[in-house]
């Protein structure tokens, strides 16, 4: 299974917000078909859920999925590490690992 974090980032930021495939494609700089391929894969794996709306299906983060929560946790930890927050706090509180 190939995991593409760029498609999942909007779900990490606002998990309860409904998103269309076109919006996900625009936010992640992918084509519509590539974004749709990943979204359908994640629906099969239970990472996100699909709800049929009037014209187009909308997608939500599956907050009940342990897999979604794990991926979000690792994404958030990586974001904190790469932001420099940890090194700032270590320097501010004179902590030497």
């Amino acid at each position: 299974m190939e995991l593409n974090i760029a498609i999942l980032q909007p779900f990490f930021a606002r998990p309860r917000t409904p998103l269309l495939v076109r919006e996900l494609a625009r936010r992640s700089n992918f084509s519509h078909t590539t974004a749709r391929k990943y979204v359908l894969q994640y629906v099969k794996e239970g990472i996100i859920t699909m709800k049929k709306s009037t014209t187009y299906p909308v997608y939500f983060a599956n907050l009940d999925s342990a897999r979604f929560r794990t991926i979000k946790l690792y994404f958030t930890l990586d974001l904190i590490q790469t932001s420099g927050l940890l090194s700032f706090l270590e320097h501010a509180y004179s902590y030497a690992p």
Side-chain angles (χ1 to χ4, degrees):
M1 179 218 52
E2 183 180 340
L3 189 67
N4 194 315
I5 297 297
I7 295 288
L8 293 174
Q9 280 182 350
F11 294 110
F12 295 153
R14 295 181 168 216
R16 298 188 195 287
T17 303
L19 296 169
L20 297 169
V21 172
R22 290 187 187 270
E23 185 175 356
L24 289 169
R26 183 181 53 81
R27 288 185 183 187
S28 60
N29 293 327
F30 285 121
S31 68
H32 172 265
T33 54
T34 304
R36 185 174 186 272
K37 178 187 86 166
Y38 283 117
V39 165
L40 292 177
Q41 176 184 345
Y42 297 147
V43 168
K44 281 183 188 176
E45 294 175 9
I47 297 172
I48 60 177
T49 58
M50 177 179 65
K51 181 180 178 186
K52 297 280 187 181
S53 66
T54 56
T55 307
Y56 300 107
V58 293
Y59 299 91
F60 297 90
N62 187 359
L63 299 175
D64 296 330
S65 169
R67 175 130 186 183
F68 175 79
R69 291 191 310 264
T70 303
I71 295 169
K72 183 176 178 177
L73 175 69
Y74 283 118
F75 173 77
T76 306
L77 290 174
D78 184 56
L79 194 62
I80 291 170
Q81 181 69 33
T82 58
S83 71
L85 177 63
L86 292 179
S87 60
F88 171 77
L89 292 174
E90 287 173 355
H91 179 70
Y93 291 104
S94 301
Y95 176 75

